[in-house]
Structures are given as C-alpha cells and as structure tokens.
Amino acid sequence: MNLQSYLDRVGFEGKPRADLDTLTRLHRGHVENIPYENFDVQFARPLTRDPAASFEKLVVRRRGGWCYEMNGLLGWALDEIGFKVTRMAGGVMRVMRGDAAIGNHLILRVDLDQPYLADVGFGDGLVEPMPLKAGTMHQRHFAFALEEFEPGWWRFQDAAQSGATSFDFQLAPASPALLDERCAFLQTSPESGFVLNAVAQRHLPDGRFAMMRGKVLTFTGAGATTREIGSAREYVETLCSIFALDLPEAAALWPKIEARHRVLFEAG
C-alpha cells in the first residue's frame, strides 16, 4: 500500500497535510475518480473490509467499491497523512428498518477544528466532507442535512432523488465485529439490495450518474435525464464511458438485470 499511488488515483496534487483543504480535495477527488459499484457482489466474489484488499482493487486494478471498501480506503489514507479518524457504524434507512440496519454502512468522523462527516461510500451522497453539526449544507447541485433527532443519535438526510434517503449513526467507534457481520450478510443474503441489484454511481463536476434500478441510467445535477440501457453491449460501454469501469464480464449479468428491471418497473 502506497499513499502516493492513492493520491494519484484520486487526482490529488501537492503535499497532503492534516487540514481541511486536504480533506476536502481528497474527498472530492475520490468520489469523482473512484466509482461506487457492487459488481463483485453480483459475481459472488467475496469482499472484506481489509484496506490492503481495497487498495489492490480500487487503486491498483482501478475498480470501484462499496462503503466498506471506499471509506475503508479513505480512512487508511487519512491515517497515513496524520488525521484523527473514527470509523462509525451507519444504519441506512434505519427510520424504516429499525436497529437491524445498524452497521450496514461505514462512515468516517474526522476531527479538525471541529468534527466532520466524511463519506465517499454512499454512492450518491456527499461530494465533500460536512461539518458534523445540525443543519443543511449545499454542495454543487445538492442539499444535504444533519440532525440530532434524539440524544446520541444523528440522521444524515441525502439529497433529493437519491437511492436511499437517510442513514442514522452514533458518534462512538463502530464495532469491527458488527461491520464484518454486516459486510458478509449484505453480499450473501438473497434479501440484500446489493445482491438483487447491480449498482454503479459516480459524481462528476456537473452532477452525478447512477445505474442502480434495473437497466435505468439517470443523471442528476444541472438538469436531469433518464434513459434505459438497451443491450448487454451498451451496458458494458456505459460502465466504461461514464463510470470508468472496464468490466466486459458484466455482459453476463444482463439477463439478471433485465429480469430485475421487469420486477421493478413492469410488474410494479
């Protein structure tokens, strides 16, 4: 694992320092250059939270990843630079799923002049770190919000037209055992959305692209567009041209993607 290789991967220029400017540029560069994706789950390739494995996949092989890999890798880089980083357990859609959701998302707290929420692993979430205090923050075309809705519990509200509207978290360090258990469950359970859906998301300076519901490609930002992908070949080409993913083997997933599309959109 080499810090300079990670800095090159996310387009960071200059000498990194443990300050807000470095954190902001790293965060922005990560979400623009490393796509959020779950194709290893679709191929039934086991994933772990090991930062070395994430480095080899996301940096060396220039793939993307999900929260355990994306925030795990960023957390490692921040540690190397000298930031004070706390890994926390998020619960995506805990508002609907209850406490069973806790640990289905890894997020980072970074302490500088004040604590910041850093999260490059929510796909269509933050572009830059957000002060960890109640309020709304506008980043490019999107508005995000934080609230302490009960003592000890915080809720992150994602921007409009996002895949998941919120996640809850506490400020205490996450249990590694809990994160490991959730990481294993989400990639193997037939009920997991990561098993059911192939997902690719990426921020760009003018907005964000997403393919996460069947064969629908959406763009949200300076305007909004939606279109359906028409073939396995087009799907692979879209992964390459928009999400910077060279995955010709994804063509084999096309029958499953079409079937999922029918369930979501044609069968109601």
Side-chain angles (χ1 to χ4, degrees):
M1 299 177 70
N2 177 273
L3 179 61
Q4 187 59 52
S5 295
Y6 171 78
L7 298 178
D8 292 342
R9 177 74 167 100
V10 302
F12 185 94
E13 297 180 353
K15 181 177 176 58
R17 296 177 172 83
D19 58 23
L20 181 58
D21 176 68
T22 291
L23 176 62
T24 300
R25 291 196 289 140
L26 284 176
H27 200 292
R28 186 192 311 126
H30 191 121
V31 298
E32 290 181 354
N33 291 284
I34 306 181
Y36 181 96
E37 51 106 337
N38 73 333
F39 286 98
D40 278 355
V41 175
Q42 294 296 301
F43 296 131
R45 299 169 182 165
L47 297 172
T48 71
R49 294 192 306 109
D50 178 15
S54 299
F55 182 91
E56 194 277 334
K57 178 184 174 185
L58 278 60
V59 177
V60 177
R61 291 194 282 125
R62 303 186 70 83
R63 283 280 307 279
W66 62 352
C67 69
Y68 303 108
E69 299 168 301
M70 299 279 270
N71 284 326
L73 181 62
L74 176 61
W76 165 81
L78 295 177
D79 285 337
E80 290 291 299
I81 295 167
F83 286 91
K84 181 181 178 182
V85 183
T86 303
R87 282 95 176 147
M88 302 185 298
V92 177
M93 298 304 294
R94 177 175 173 264
V95 66
M96 295 175 57
R97 299 169 181 166
D99 286 349
I102 300 172
N104 66 9
H105 187 46
L106 169 65
I107 54 177
L108 305 175
R109 168 180 168 168
V110 183
D111 287 307
L112 290 167
D113 59 311
Q114 60 180 317
Y116 289 85
L117 177 66
D119 184 6
V120 296
F122 204 49
D124 53 15
L126 292 173
V127 180
E128 299 175 355
M130 181 177 185
L132 214 169
K133 60 183 180 181
T136 299
M137 184 174 189
H138 293 267
Q139 298 182 358
R140 294 180 177 168
H141 305 282
F142 310 107
F144 307 97
L146 279 171
E147 63 170 324
E148 189 175 12
F149 63 95
E150 61 183 61
W153 277 103
W154 288 79
R155 177 164 294 155
F156 171 82
Q157 297 281 356
D158 205 0
Q161 297 178 301
S162 300
T165 58
S166 69
F167 62 76
D168 297 351
F169 62 97
Q170 294 178 301
L171 301 184
S175 161
L178 172 64
L179 294 177
D180 287 340
E181 187 276 328
R182 291 286 89 189
C183 178
F185 172 84
L186 290 172
Q187 62 188 289
T188 56
S189 170
E191 300 176 357
S192 167
F194 296 99
V195 173
L196 293 170
N197 301 290
V199 177
Q201 296 171 294
R202 184 186 180 189
H203 277 283
L204 291 173
D206 60 344
R208 66 190 183 205
F209 282 96
M211 285 197 302
M212 58 185 190
R213 296 290 185 269
K215 53 185 180 180
V216 176
L217 172 69
T218 63
F219 173 81
T220 309
T225 62
T226 300
R227 69 178 175 90
E228 289 187 14
I229 304 299
S231 67
R233 178 178 178 179
E234 184 184 357
Y235 190 78
V236 170
E237 290 174 348
T238 301
L239 289 176
C240 184
S241 62
I242 292 179
F243 299 98
L245 289 170
D246 183 15
L247 282 176
E249 63 267 40
L253 299 173
W254 187 245
K256 176 183 176 182
I257 291 168
E258 284 196 301
R260 183 62 175 162
H261 185 93
R262 287 193 294 271
V263 169
L264 292 172
F265 297 101
E266 297 173 15

